[in-house]
Amino acid sequence: MDRPHDRALRARAEAVIPGGMFGHQSTALLPDDYPQYFVKAKGAHLWDADGGKVLDLMCAYGPNLFGYGDEAIDAAFIAQLRQGDTLTGPTPVMVELAETLVDMVGHADWALFCKNGGDATTMALTVARAQTRRKTVIRARGAYHGSTPWCTPRTAGVLETDRAHQILCNYNDVASLEAAVAEAGDDLAAIFAAPFRHDAFIDQAEPEAAYAARARELCDRTGALLVLDEVRAGFRLSRDCSWSRLGVEPDLSTWGKGLANGHALSALLGSDSARKGAEAIYATGSFWYQAAPMAASLEVLRRIRETDYLERLEALGQRLASGLSERADAAGFGFRITGPGQMPLFLFDEDPDLRKGFFWSSAMLERGVYVHPWHNMFLCDAMTEADIDQALDAAEASFAELTRAAPGLAPVAKMAFLSQTR
């Protein structure tokens, strides 16, 4: 598909934006025919700069929980914007939002607000070190906790000292976690964990109860803090912390993405076990106290409490996963669907450089469905069974097209690095 407006925007961007685009929304590691720019969104759909409409299974990489342009959420945002947003001091909305989150999240006794997931995870790291007066943190290999120097997956410009006092373990590997804790000795400040393994390029995995419980036990034994990074998964797996399903409560949890349905807001929630550390640190930002996103978040949280959105997402995810499995099997492809149904990842068997995944994803895009070839996706409450059926029809046709093209597919040059890391 020719996209002249997208091409023109890319050319303009090359002159004024380093690399043409940066960060996780760059299409540099996506199929070449993927649009970089979008001009409109509503519900579960996006329109690109050339007018193409797609069902968006990425949901803006997670922030779209209740649908793009949700009228009630945006009305709350606009009403507060008109009354006051970025002011010399915070508005009462901030106190109400903190109270609401403390009421909803089992482990939480207090809340701090910021703008991005990386703000929240970095603040969690700082609070843990202030609370324990220790330096070392443990986190899982491959886990993503943001783009700040201490955890960014790309290390250009990052100093060894930026990443000092960290020990890596393997997710869901109790022995590896125990070895990391032993290595930390009496200097362990925190164990960071994702609600489930959602690393890029590999199958997702649910948390094992024994791993989660052992992380809690080790923190209790050593006086370290358990940090659950809910930025990506928060409120898509549970109306509480995700590990509450396993009977495990963290000391700190970080939230973002869907917290305000796309309006800029993230949060660090903590128990009283970390209150002194939170009171001791200095963390702030010019726009961290904006009231309009907090008003939007209050409406989001009301919907989380009072609607069956979570059950709908689970049902839609099951419909999508079972339908895709049936169609992939019928076409003769090994096609893995991993992770929670509302946050799935799709990978083909015997596809080390993702040539099958790239071709199939492009075929889906051509049929009006935006999927990602190596990152987990997201469902939103604005999606319907008809949307899922559209995706399944597109998948069936895309599998058929892949069957014809597979013998002649060339390696994906931009994915060559995968063979060096596996």
Side-chain angles (χ1 to χ4, degrees):
M1 179 184 296
D2 186 32
R3 292 190 170 86
H5 293 292
D6 193 81
R7 281 190 282 106
L9 284 165
R10 290 182 191 226
R12 289 166 57 191
E14 286 285 348
V16 293
I17 299 172
M21 189 49 58
F22 57 96
H24 67 289
Q25 290 195 352
S26 168
T27 58
L29 292 181
L30 288 174
D32 292 339
D33 59 348
Y34 267 48
Q36 178 68 79
Y37 293 94
F38 296 90
V39 296
K40 187 173 74 170
K42 185 64 178 176
H45 294 86
L46 290 174
W47 284 259
D48 64 42
D50 290 279
K53 177 185 178 182
V54 294
L55 173 65
D56 179 24
L57 293 186
M58 281 307 293
C59 290
Y61 286 78
N64 177 18
L65 178 59
F66 284 103
Y68 291 117
D70 181 90
E71 291 184 6
I73 295 170
D74 288 356
F77 178 93
I78 292 167
Q80 183 60 51
L81 184 68
R82 288 173 174 162
Q83 184 170 329
D85 185 29
T86 305
L87 309 176
T88 300
T91 73
V93 176
M94 184 174 183
V95 180
E96 183 180 356
L97 180 58
E99 291 172 337
T100 302
L101 286 166
V102 167
D103 285 343
M104 289 179 62
V105 177
H107 82 91
D109 296 309
W110 52 262
L112 297 174
F113 299 105
C114 38
K115 284 297 170 190
N116 299 289
D119 297 336
T121 57
T122 300
M123 193 155 49
L125 173 70
T126 308
V127 167
R129 285 173 168 164
Q131 179 70 39
T132 63
R133 299 184 181 182
R134 302 171 185 171
K135 300 183 295 296
T136 303
V137 296
I138 295 171
R139 58 188 179 95
R141 290 182 178 86
Y144 183 77
H145 296 296
S147 63
T148 46
W150 73 273
C151 59
T152 179
R154 297 189 184 181
T155 57
V158 176
L159 305 178
E160 289 185 8
T161 50
D162 292 329
R163 301 169 81 89
H165 310 297
Q166 296 189 50
I167 301 172
L168 301 181
C169 70
N170 298 323
Y171 195 89
N172 271 342
D173 186 333
V174 171
S176 174
L177 177 61
E178 290 174 338
V181 170
E183 182 180 346
D186 60 4
D187 191 47
L188 182 61
I191 296 174
F192 273 74
F196 66 100
R197 190 180 70 186
H198 46 58
D199 308 356
F201 304 110
I202 63 173
D203 291 341
Q204 300 185 116
E206 292 288 345
E208 295 178 3
Y211 179 79
R214 189 59 174 148
R216 180 69 270 172
E217 291 167 359
L218 290 167
C219 285
D220 290 340
R221 191 189 78 193
T222 61
L225 301 185
L226 179 60
V227 183
L228 193 63
D229 182 355
E230 292 273 20
V231 170
R232 191 180 304 192
F235 296 128
R236 271 196 166 86
L237 305 184
S238 170
R239 291 178 174 85
D240 197 342
C241 251
S242 296
W243 275 12
S244 65
R245 301 174 303 158
L246 304 175
V248 174
E249 299 285 359
D251 299 287
L252 298 169
S253 59
T254 58
W255 303 73
K257 292 194 182 289
L259 184 59
N261 202 53
H263 296 291
L265 182 70
S266 60
L268 172 64
L269 306 184
S271 66
D272 282 334
S273 62
R275 185 183 289 270
K276 289 183 178 179
E279 291 173 346
I281 70 166
Y282 183 78
T284 192
S286 297
F287 306 105
W288 283 17
Y289 308 90
Q290 284 182 303
M294 295 180 186
S297 184
L298 284 171
E299 174 61 19
V300 167
L301 295 175
R302 184 196 66 78
R303 299 267 277 276
I304 287 170
R305 294 191 307 274
E306 299 179 7
T307 73
D308 65 348
Y309 85 100
L310 184 57
E311 292 73 24
R312 289 194 67 256
L313 292 184
E314 292 171 343
L316 291 174
Q318 180 57 45
R319 187 183 187 95
L320 178 63
S322 60
L324 284 172
S325 293
E326 291 171 3
R327 286 155 177 79
D329 289 346
F333 288 107
F335 185 75
R336 307 191 304 280
I337 305 164
T338 59
Q342 55 271 41
M343 295 178 64
L345 174 69
F346 307 150
L347 292 172
F348 283 84
D349 293 345
E350 300 176 356
D351 194 27
D353 66 359
L354 302 187
R355 67 184 71 179
K356 294 178 188 176
F358 266 49
F359 184 93
W360 183 81
S361 297
S362 291
M364 290 287 283
L365 183 68
E366 186 176 350
R367 290 164 175 81
V369 181
Y370 191 107
V371 298
H372 202 291
W374 49 261
H375 192 288
N376 79 274
M377 283 156 277
F378 302 84
L379 303 188
C380 75
D381 190 55
M383 291 177 182
T384 64
E385 290 185 354
D387 290 327
I388 299 303
D389 292 344
Q390 176 198 344
L392 294 176
D393 289 343
E396 185 170 356
S398 298
F399 283 129
E401 188 173 346
L402 178 58
T403 298
R404 294 187 292 270
L409 290 180
V412 179
K414 65 176 69 176
M415 291 289 111
F417 69 92
L418 288 175
S419 62
Q420 302 166 3
T421 59
R422 290 177 173 172

